[in-house]
Amino acid sequence: MSRPEFIAPPEVFYNNVEARKYTFNSRMLNIQTEMTERALELLNLPEDQVSLILDVGCGSGLSGETVADAGHIWVGFDISKDMLEVAQDRDTDGDLALADAGQGAFYRPGVFDGVISISAIQWLCNADKKHHRPERRMQRFFTTLYTSLKRGARAVLQFYPSDATQVERLTAAAMKAGFTGGVVVDYPNSSKRKKFYMCLFAGTADAQVPAGLRDDGTPQTVDAGDITFRRGAHRRIRSSDRPTKGSREWIMAKKELYRRRGVEVVNDSKYSGRRRRRL
Amino acid sequence: MRLLAHNLMCSHVRGVKNGYPLGLAATEVRFLDEVAEKAIAEQMAEDSDASDGEYGLPEYNDDVMANIWPKVVYSVLHQAASALGHAEGLPPPKVAVSPSMGVDAATVASSSNPDLASLTEQERKTIYRILFYLDVVEGSLTCPESGRVFPIVKSIPNMLLDEDEV
Ligand SMILES: C[S@@+](CC[C@H](N)C(=O)[O-])C[C@H]1O[C@@H](n2cnc3c(N)ncnc32)[C@H](O)[C@@H]1O
């Protein structure tokens, strides 16, 4: 897999061209949407309530849109001006700022009901500028994140570690900042689908790290005290409620999602989702 | 940058203790609900099949307001709206914040906000509109303690710090 963070700093890699390519790629939209839905599930927000969410490395707003679709209000920041401009052109609901996570969050203490970050914080492990000290940047990031979260709230940060030491470094910085929690690994046996989520708690010492998902989508460990898989919280994203992949219903749902997000799709017809006849 | 974001943001310049509220100045502002209405009208003119509900911003909602109200420092919102010349129709705050004086972000609280139930529906709607739809397109944010200015360009505040400010 090619790793953008090995190619160039984020604000350089996600230039005008790359930002658009990224945003209007339907495969990318699917992946980011699925990971954000999972992150929301792990956030375990109170039901029937509008929450205020921070999206770190919000980019062009793909992750934020999933947060808005779930009925929440979000603000976000990103280091790439071009990604933010695409977000603006697409009229995302969240409020945006140009900022570097390694310089820390800049919000009043305790305002956020939850923080998410999708595919961004692996960049913190790199020294992209001569004066960058990655451990210092991570520390500053987690310390200020902790402060901006409401006591008892969570931060769920999906990231792509390049090796085990990155997981350790990021976890160590988060714990030093006062967070408890750990890393949830979904689909650990599939090199393609394997995903890492740091699941951090601000000010709850006894909270338990939720279980990751097995390849068949069921939790790896089910214990009585597991709060994350409580029924009902985010039912609409449970796999059993989803139309079967490839079915007409599934295709229609995907097309609807793309339309809402401004990706062009062909019109629906009675042939949509049917098998094509071979000549 | 909308005023909800301004209400949440603090200065993160190294060494600053009282980085809230950020001073707000603007040379261009707009109301996003007006922008959306105009866009809808244009769409409808072009596309006769389009229905009103397909486009546009969410309507005012008392539940959303009740959930977001504890996050807002109303005195700061009122002051920011005044600075932009749009405080009309907003109920007066219980306490006033002096624009030049930073307050400790940890101690300012929404506890001095007026009780939502004591406001008229019209007042609640006006507050909602100022929070979510008043957008600073060009302007600046100023750290109350260090005086550092963060420019707002095309509605996006630039919060990047220099190396020696981190
Ligand atoms: C793969 S994109 C994901 C964007 C968005 N979260 C999504 O799900 O579509 C990663 C983003 O992280 C941002 N990023 C990387 N390092 C960052 C940093 N230090 N501070 C803020 N944003 C950063 C990049 O600019 C890029 O927009």
Side-chain angles (χ1 to χ4, degrees):
Chain A
M1 192 176 82
S2 65
R3 289 187 159 268
E5 68 272 23
F6 290 169
I7 300 169
E11 67 275 26
V12 176
F13 181 84
Y14 291 106
N15 59 18
N16 195 315
V17 175
E18 202 53 45
R20 276 165 208 284
K21 257 204 319 214
Y22 173 86
T23 309
F24 297 106
N25 175 329
S26 58
R27 196 182 66 93
M28 206 51 95
L29 174 61
N30 282 343
I31 298 173
Q32 301 310 109
T33 302
E34 189 179 328
M35 291 190 299
T36 311
E37 285 177 342
R38 174 67 169 143
L40 281 173
E41 184 175 46
L42 293 170
L43 269 188
N44 200 42
L45 296 165
E47 285 174 48
D48 307 321
Q49 190 176 310
V50 178
S51 292
L52 181 64
I53 308 293
L54 170 67
D55 185 357
V56 174
C58 60
S60 53
L62 299 185
S63 42
E65 272 157 17
T66 303
V67 174
D69 284 347
H72 302 298
I73 294 169
W74 66 278
V75 298
F77 66 81
D78 198 283
I79 199 171
S80 158
K81 194 165 149 275
D82 290 301
M83 285 293 256
L84 294 174
E85 281 179 7
V86 175
Q88 222 157 24
D89 289 349
R90 298 170 65 245
D91 282 330
T92 51
D93 294 303
D95 221 284
L96 312 167
L98 179 64
D100 175 0
Q103 299 184 336
F106 40 88
Y107 304 93
R108 253 192 290 134
V111 287
F112 293 114
D113 300 306
V115 172
I116 61 154
S117 178
I118 309 295
S119 321
I121 63 161
Q122 67 275 1
W123 294 89
L124 285 178
C125 300
N126 298 359
D128 283 326
K129 297 225 169 75
K130 217 168 54 210
H131 61 268
H132 276 183
R133 301 277 174 278
E135 310 310 311
R136 249 196 82 190
R137 286 167 52 76
M138 287 180 203
Q139 205 53 59
R140 176 127 180 112
F141 169 64
F142 285 111
T143 307
T144 53
L145 205 63
Y146 187 94
T147 313
S148 64
L149 271 170
K150 198 170 79 184
R151 287 317 90 195
R154 298 183 179 188
V156 176
L157 317 168
Q158 180 274 330
F159 67 118
Y160 289 112
S162 63
D163 55 43
T165 62
Q166 289 198 344
V167 180
E168 276 164 28
R169 290 164 66 199
L170 287 163
T171 309
M175 302 298 132
K176 218 168 128 194
F179 281 109
T180 55
V183 176
V184 174
V185 184
D186 281 356
Y187 315 116
N189 301 319
S190 157
S191 60
K192 261 207 186 132
R193 285 182 80 197
K194 187 171 178 176
K195 295 284 163 0
F196 293 78
Y197 300 82
M198 286 189 93
C199 188
L200 303 173
F201 312 109
T204 35
D206 52 349
Q208 210 180 351
V209 182
L213 300 180
R214 288 202 210 94
D215 294 350
D216 62 2
T218 58
Q220 284 168 32
T221 54
V222 190
D223 43 80
D226 193 328
I227 40 173
T228 312
F229 297 96
R230 203 181 42 190
R231 282 232 132 232
H234 289 283
R235 286 218 54 196
R236 92 191 164 74
I237 63 173
R238 301 184 81 93
S239 51
S240 56
D241 293 340
R242 276 194 204 141
T244 327
K245 195 166 177 163
S247 68
R248 185 180 155 88
E249 216 190 334
W250 179 85
I251 291 173
M252 291 305 188
K254 287 280 168 203
K255 287 170 88 171
E256 182 48 37
L257 177 69
Y258 296 155
R259 279 193 201 104
R260 255 191 294 141
R261 309 241 171 128
V263 179
E264 272 190 37
V265 288
V266 293
N267 289 334
D268 299 333
S269 75
K270 63 177 179 177
Y271 300 108
S272 298
R274 281 219 211 146
R275 234 206 167 102
R276 300 277 181 247
R277 201 188 298 152
R278 286 231 194 93
L279 291 175
Chain B
M1 186 200 66
R2 297 175 300 174
L3 291 202
L4 172 64
H6 170 261
N7 209 276
L8 303 174
M9 283 162 64
C10 289
S11 164
H12 58 333
V13 175
R14 180 167 69 183
V16 166
K17 291 232 158 51
N18 299 328
Y20 188 82
L22 292 162
L24 180 60
T27 54
E28 188 187 339
V29 299
R30 60 179 178 174
F31 276 97
L32 295 171
D33 50 349
E34 286 169 7
V35 174
E37 257 164 44
K38 216 175 131 221
I40 293 166
E42 278 166 19
Q43 271 290 338
M44 301 271 282
E46 248 175 55
D47 171 6
S48 51
D49 293 342
S51 68
D52 222 348
E54 271 183 66
Y55 308 99
L57 297 164
E59 298 261 299
Y60 169 78
N61 178 325
D62 260 332
D63 292 337
V64 175
M65 188 67 181
N67 281 312
I68 211 73
W69 194 232
K71 315 279 182 193
V72 174
V73 180
Y74 182 65
S75 52
V76 170
L77 179 72
H78 190 277
Q79 179 207 308
S82 306
L84 303 180
H86 286 288
E88 211 177 305
L90 286 176
K94 286 202 220 157
V95 291
V97 192
S98 145
S100 59
M101 192 188 64
V103 290
D104 182 351
T107 61
V108 291
S110 49
S111 56
S112 60
N113 285 0
D115 188 0
L116 275 184
S118 73
L119 303 176
T120 64
E121 184 171 352
Q122 192 49 47
E123 284 172 324
R124 291 199 295 273
K125 283 187 171 169
T126 308
I127 296 174
Y128 186 89
R129 182 162 190 249
I130 294 291
L131 266 179
F132 289 103
Y133 298 144
L134 179 52
D135 180 42
V136 178
V137 182
E138 301 284 324
S140 65
L141 296 168
T142 305
C143 168
E145 196 175 299
S146 67
R148 164 69 142 90
V149 176
F150 301 96
I152 304 169
V153 181
K154 291 193 207 158
S155 299
I156 300 177
N158 180 344
M159 302 304 288
L160 291 171
L161 299 172
D162 293 333
E163 191 184 331
D164 59 353
E165 293 175 317
V166 188

